[in-house]
Structure formats: C-alpha cells, structure tokens
Amino acid sequence: MYLSIVDVKPLKDYQLLLTFENGEKRIFDMKPYLDKGIFKELKDERVFRSVRVSFDSIEWSNQADIDPEVLYEKSFEIKETGT
C-alpha cells in the first residue's frame, strides 16, 4: 500500500509520529537505522529533530530520507482514544 505522509513529529527515543494521507497515525522507530550510512548523523538530536515532510515522505536537514512505503510497513498504528 502506498500512502503519502502529511505530518511528522519527532518523539523521544528516536521515534517518529507519522500521519498518513488516510488520517492514520503510526509510530516509526528509527533506532535500528542509526548505525547505517547517512542515518548515523541522526544520533545528533538536533539533526533528528529537523525532520519534516518532503513531497510524499519525510526528510532531515542532512538530506536523509526514507521511502513512505517502508515507513508505513515498518511502523505500528496508534489508536487515539476519545474522552
């Protein structure tokens, strides 16, 4: 399934809160990627927190990006509870 990302928020412990075009919110854990290539630079919290939506995916200030399909497949859905 291919869904564009419409919002991203960096969370503690190198996680990202992603909102997809269908309104679904998912959590993606970056920790498994932080020892690989350009993603090593994301260990610097300032760089990690620079994440933003770019076209249909996300990108950091160091030009690192991840395919939106990977972000969807490797993340888990969070259920919002109403009060």
Side-chain angles (χ1 to χ4, degrees):
M1 176 187 317
Y2 183 86
L3 293 170
S4 296
I5 295 171
V6 297
D7 191 44
V8 59
K9 289 185 176 44
L11 304 174
K12 64 181 180 177
D13 203 27
Y14 297 103
Q15 294 187 335
L16 299 169
L17 172 59
L18 304 168
T19 305
F20 289 84
E21 65 181 313
N22 65 353
E24 192 173 344
K25 292 185 184 291
R26 300 178 71 87
I27 299 287
F28 184 82
D29 186 2
M30 280 298 300
K31 288 189 296 299
Y33 300 85
L34 295 178
D35 287 323
K36 298 179 177 143
I38 196 169
F39 297 116
K40 290 178 184 178
E41 296 175 28
L42 301 181
K43 289 180 182 179
D44 178 334
E45 193 168 327
R46 288 180 303 140
V47 178
F48 179 74
R49 297 191 75 70
S50 73
V51 68
R52 65 181 180 89
V53 173
S54 179
F55 299 101
D56 60 352
S57 192
I58 60 172
E59 174 181 73
W60 286 268
S61 60
N62 69 343
Q63 316 269 289
D65 63 356
I66 301 180
D67 186 283
E69 290 180 41
V70 171
L71 292 168
Y72 190 85
E73 291 171 9
K74 303 284 185 180
S75 62
F76 63 90
E77 185 176 8
I78 59 170
K79 302 286 186 191
E80 294 190 53
T81 58
T83 53

